Amino acid sequence: MASELLAADPVAARAALRSIEESSRTALEDLDYVLGVLRDQRAETAPARTLADLPELIDRLRHAGAVVESELSGDWTQVQGTLSRAAYRILQEGLTNALRHGAGGPIELRVAATPDSLELDVVNRTGPGTSTGQGTFPTSGHGMPGLAERVRLLHGEIEAGPHGPRHWRLAVRLPVPASA
């Protein structure tokens, strides 16, 4: 599939590859941190990306050629700690999937914070030959289960699947602790 995309749309292929590279780098940083904790030592680099880094992620996607329509509302910049890091990773994975599996057109991103919850939505268009049936959206097999596990650990809710004709939606709702 990647070779077909490279031949058909090299700009989109390069953008997807850059996003995959960034996701891989962040995953390695997370792994380094976890291994350091397990060894009861301090890791050289702790995962530092949070929702405060979201504008930079959006800019990188746009620089790579993606059209991202973002709606950021509420005081999401005040969400801290584990919740902020997890929300960033969820959005990063959702946006990476949208680049990897999307059929062009804008990627719609919405982040809304209220005192009680943090809502994350990523919607993208799916292409011809891409099934939008429940459970048949092409993934690596690890991304969506990892997202679902991350959301479950934070006592949140996740929906992923077809959203109208030829669109895919990732919707996550996370509770915001009173101290966040």
Side-chain angles (χ1 to χ4, degrees):
M1 180 168 176
S3 60
E4 293 171 9
L5 181 60
L6 187 57
D9 191 348
V11 172
R14 279 193 284 283
L17 288 172
R18 276 190 287 275
S19 181
I20 292 166
E21 178 183 350
E22 178 64 27
S23 293
S24 299
R25 185 177 298 113
T26 302
L28 287 173
E29 289 172 356
D30 281 353
L31 182 59
D32 181 50
Y33 175 76
V34 169
L35 289 173
V37 169
L38 290 174
R39 290 182 190 129
D40 198 25
Q41 299 171 359
R42 200 153 189 208
E44 278 185 33
T45 57
R49 299 250 159 79
T50 65
L51 283 176
D53 298 304
L54 185 58
E56 178 186 333
L57 175 62
I58 295 168
D59 287 344
R60 282 196 315 264
L61 292 168
R62 288 178 176 151
H63 182 69
V67 176
V68 180
E69 295 176 353
S70 59
E71 178 185 327
L72 311 174
S73 63
D75 198 7
W76 57 272
T77 59
Q78 295 302 309
V79 175
Q80 300 293 314
T82 301
L83 181 60
S84 184
R85 288 189 300 275
Y88 179 89
R89 292 297 307 271
I90 290 165
L91 290 170
Q92 183 180 42
E93 179 72 21
L95 291 165
T96 298
N97 285 342
L99 277 175
R100 188 180 318 150
H101 304 298
I107 298 169
E108 299 171 21
L109 168 66
R110 186 176 73 82
V111 178
T114 69
D116 300 325
S117 70
L118 182 63
E119 295 180 10
L120 315 171
D121 288 300
V122 178
V123 177
N124 66 284
R125 188 180 159 107
T126 57
T130 302
S131 173
T132 56
Q134 188 67 27
T136 58
F137 193 76
T139 68
S140 65
H142 302 290
M144 290 307 298
L147 284 181
E149 179 67 12
R150 192 179 302 265
V151 170
R152 185 187 69 75
L153 289 171
L154 292 168
H155 306 288
E157 302 167 7
I158 183 171
E159 292 180 30
H163 183 68
R166 298 179 66 132
H167 284 81
W168 181 265
R169 178 178 182 221
L170 170 65
V172 173
R173 184 177 186 281
L174 301 169
V176 173
S179 62

